[in-house]
Amino acid sequence: MSKTLVITGASKGIGRATASLFLEKGYRVINLSRSNPELDGLVHISADLSDASWVPQHGTNVVAAIGEADELVLIHNAAMMHKDDNETVTPEALAETFQLNVIAATQLNQLLLPHMNEGSSILYVASTLAEKAVAGTCSYVVSKHAQLGLMRSTCQDLMGRGIHTASICPGLTDTEMLRNHCNNDTAILADMAALSSYNRLVKPEEIAYTLFFCSQNPAINGAVIHANLGQRES
Ligand SMILES: NC(=O)c1ccc[n+]([C@@H]2O[C@H](COP(=O)([O-])OP(=O)(O)OC[C@H]3O[C@@H](n4cnc5c(N)ncnc54)[C@H](OP(=O)(O)O)[C@@H]3O)[C@@H](O)[C@H]2O)c1
């Protein structure tokens, strides 16, 4: 049986760890991001998903790359996070964030659903900020809440198709996105680590394993799975 993963944003962080794990598990892995992860065996399609015209440019290549997969796992992982708030967020930043974090996922679903057989899955890498807000990340928070709605409507619209879906919400995970967000400030990173029950950041590999687990379990359908080591609530 041929098993294929299509993932966005596997050039670094959570996506890269996830692509590596699925390769180890015997999946063909196809990645869409701007830079190449350079992982052995991975098929890379260079695409900027923040530009809606990526579909006419690269859609045919993506469909050709999946071939005749018996089981297709689709993971929407690529995202961007601006520092903005209700008073400073610009229509342009909101639109760009929506395109990458929400609309590109819809475009990819529409491209690949005709090729997804029973046993396939669509997983969304969400965030703690898909269900709550913190100050200073307005466009990201809004987009992640919308992406959660997209997952729930994916579940309802695909009833009976044998394709399951879920949103996996990483807590503070040690990746470039998080480090850039706090300007690589070790004191801020330590404060963030202290918010978890284990006094450390989540490892990208832990989210990769959670995504793999969800891909294998149709009982997890329409579900929101938090993977955050247990977060201290203030
Ligand atoms: N790290 C955390 O603490 C955390 C917490 C909660 C949720 N998350 C979520 O986890 C997911 C992965 O984040 P990460 O922390 O692993 O981030 P990361 O290390 O910054 O990786 C982001 C990935 O997205 C890709 N990407 C960014 N802009 C793109 C574009 N315009 N077109 C195509 N691909 C693009 C990047 O590839 P290129 O730059 O090569 O294009 C990269 O592979 C995201 O959905 C994020 O919201 C992360």
Side-chain angles (χ1 to χ4, degrees), residues 45-93:
I45 297 173
S46 188
D48 181 352
L49 304 175
S50 69
D51 178 349
S53 68
W54 73 267
V55 181
Q57 285 180 53
H58 306 288
T60 317
N61 291 344
V62 178
V63 172
I66 60 171
E68 294 297 320
D70 295 313
E71 177 205 324
L72 190 61
V73 177
L74 172 54
I75 299 185
H76 300 297
N77 169 71
M80 66 170 65
M81 182 194 242
H82 288 296
K83 286 183 192 175
D84 51 27
D85 61 36
N86 270 256
E87 289 179 297
T88 61
V89 67
T90 61
E92 292 76 20

Side-chain angles (χ1 to χ4, degrees), residues 164-218:
H164 66 281
T165 186
S167 289
I168 289 72
C169 302
L172 296 160
T173 307
D174 193 359
T175 68
E176 202 172 296
M177 180 183 281
L178 185 72
R179 286 178 174 273
N180 285 344
H181 188 69
C182 54
N183 302 322
N184 256 310
D185 184 319
T186 45
I188 297 176
L189 286 163
D191 286 349
M192 286 181 164
L195 291 173
S196 93
S197 173
Y198 290 78
N199 197 27
R200 66 170 174 83
L201 299 174
V202 181
K203 297 174 192 159
E205 293 74 19
E206 292 174 311
I207 304 303
Y209 181 75
T210 309
L211 284 160
F212 182 74
F213 174 79
C214 290
S215 75
Q216 307 301 302
N217 287 277

